[in-house]
Amino acid sequence: MTGKIVILTGAGLSAESGLGTFRDEDGLWAKHKIEDVATPEGFARNPSLVHDFYNARRRQSAGAAPNAAHEALARLQQYWPGEVILVTQNVDGLHESAGGEAVHMHGTLAGALCAACGHRWTAPETMLPEDPCPACAAPATRPDVVWFGEIPYHMDEIAEHLQDCAIFAAIGTSGQVYPAAGFVVEAALAGAETVELNLERTEVSRAFTRHCMGKATEVVPPWVD
Ligand SMILES: CC(C)NC(=O)[C@H](Cc1c[nH]c2ccccc12)NC(=O)[C@H](CCCC/N=C(/NCCC(=O)O)S[C@H]1O[C@H](COP(=O)(O)OP(=O)(O)OC[C@H]2O[C@@H](n3cnc4c(N)ncnc43)[C@H](O)[C@@H]2O)[C@@H](O)[C@H]1O)NC(=O)OCc1ccccc1
């Protein structure tokens, strides 16, 4: 196969595994203010509020199982080793639980990060603001996720893949958060075929040449197989 398949995934992929999305009416942002729980300023203002938010999501995601869409994407990676790049905005570990491998551009709930020295380690189930960093002992433990206003992870690696992809697909993402929402334009400019698989049309639907509308567990397996 000439040229990779790059697949961007969002919260809609994990919705049928019982993990709330962000923007649906009963979504995460309906219950929490972004500026309070997903910005460095919010963390500086009230770290225990932020830890409560991520501790609850860590517990919820620990109890969740991958669905047929995660499994189909893991199968596709097995079919074409090294040719299928999953780039996820999700901080859950369901791609990996399904046997897949994903580039976590917004971090992961399973990781802890020291805001003082940058040391990383595996997150305990429950994180507390006073938890000391195992490297520098500073009480500056934060979830290893990318907040609004922060630079996403692995951007150079992702940019490389987008320059050399034959097919770019986006699954279960509303196309409202950048730079992820702009990847389809970069891939199309590099000559990629583009397909959107989503429950409904999104902010960036017009940037895609093809569309598969429906639930991820219903549209992803037939698209893969
Ligand atoms: C709100 C938005 C306007 N703001 C931004 O985009 C900002 C600012 C900004 C930057 N550039 C811009 C340009 C224009 C405007 C604004 C900006 N971006 C940033 O701050 C980013 C950092 C953003 C990351 C923030 N962290 C998250 N998450 C981690 C934490 C956490 O998870 O708690 S974002 C978080 O929200 C986003 C949620 O979006 P989705 O995953 O799409 O979920 P959503 O609920 O919205 O949609 C779900 C979709 O699924 C569908 N669906 C539902 N069920 C199903 C189903 N069953 N099957 C299929 N589909 C389904 C629904 O219909 C829906 O369409 C995800 O990215 C998720 O990770 N940083 C940055 O830009 O740094 C500089 C830079 C840029 C480039 C290079 C270098 C430096």
Side-chain angles (χ1 to χ4, degrees):
M1 179 170 70
T2 52
K4 300 171 200 145
I5 300 182
V6 176
I7 303 171
L8 174 70
T9 65
L13 182 76
S14 297
E16 294 163 85
S17 293
L19 300 185
T21 66
F22 290 76
R23 283 173 180 72
D24 291 345
E25 60 274 354
D26 63 345
L28 286 166
W29 298 144
K31 301 190 201 97
H32 306 274
K33 294 221 307 288
I34 287 183
E35 55 276 13
D36 291 345
V37 295
T39 64
E41 299 75 19
F43 185 65
R45 265 196 316 275
N46 186 342
S48 46
L49 175 77
V50 173
H51 279 305
D52 293 350
F53 175 63
Y54 286 99
N55 289 339
R57 290 176 63 193
R58 197 173 297 108
R59 272 193 299 279
Q60 194 199 22
S61 122
N67 60 51
H70 295 106
E71 283 148 10
L73 294 172
R75 265 201 314 280
L76 188 62
Q77 286 189 311
Q78 272 128 39
Y79 289 159
W80 303 99
E83 299 287 326
V84 179
I85 313 298
L86 287 178
V87 177
T88 191
Q89 300 167 83
N90 298 344
V91 291
D92 64 55
L94 295 180
H95 279 303
E96 291 76 12
S97 318
E101 198 189 320
V103 176
H104 284 261
M105 70 178 291
H106 291 164
T108 169
L109 290 169
L113 170 67
C114 175
C117 75
H119 177 65
R120 285 187 161 83
W121 66 102
T122 302
E125 171 124 338
T126 301
M127 251 187 231
L128 300 170
E130 60 273 15
D131 285 358
C133 164
C136 74
T141 300
R142 57 165 281 179
D144 189 7
V145 298
V146 176
W147 286 324
F148 288 92
E150 295 185 320
I151 298 173
Y153 295 158
H154 314 295
M155 285 305 292
D156 302 345
E157 180 193 346
I158 294 167
E160 257 173 59
H161 291 312
L162 291 172
Q163 289 320 309
D164 165 30
C165 75
I167 299 171
F168 175 83
I171 305 174
T173 183
S174 60
Q176 297 185 34
V177 173
Y178 286 78
F183 290 169
V184 58
V185 175
E186 288 178 58
L189 286 173
E193 251 296 297
T194 57
V195 55
E196 183 180 53
L197 301 95
N198 208 61
L199 196 60
E200 60 198 351
R201 287 190 69 78
T202 71
E203 298 281 312
V204 291
S205 289
R206 65 193 174 292
F208 290 85
T209 45
R210 288 182 45 229
H211 303 82
C212 299
M213 291 297 147
K215 288 182 166 185
T217 57
E218 285 156 16
V219 296
V220 174
W223 177 71
V224 161
D225 300 328

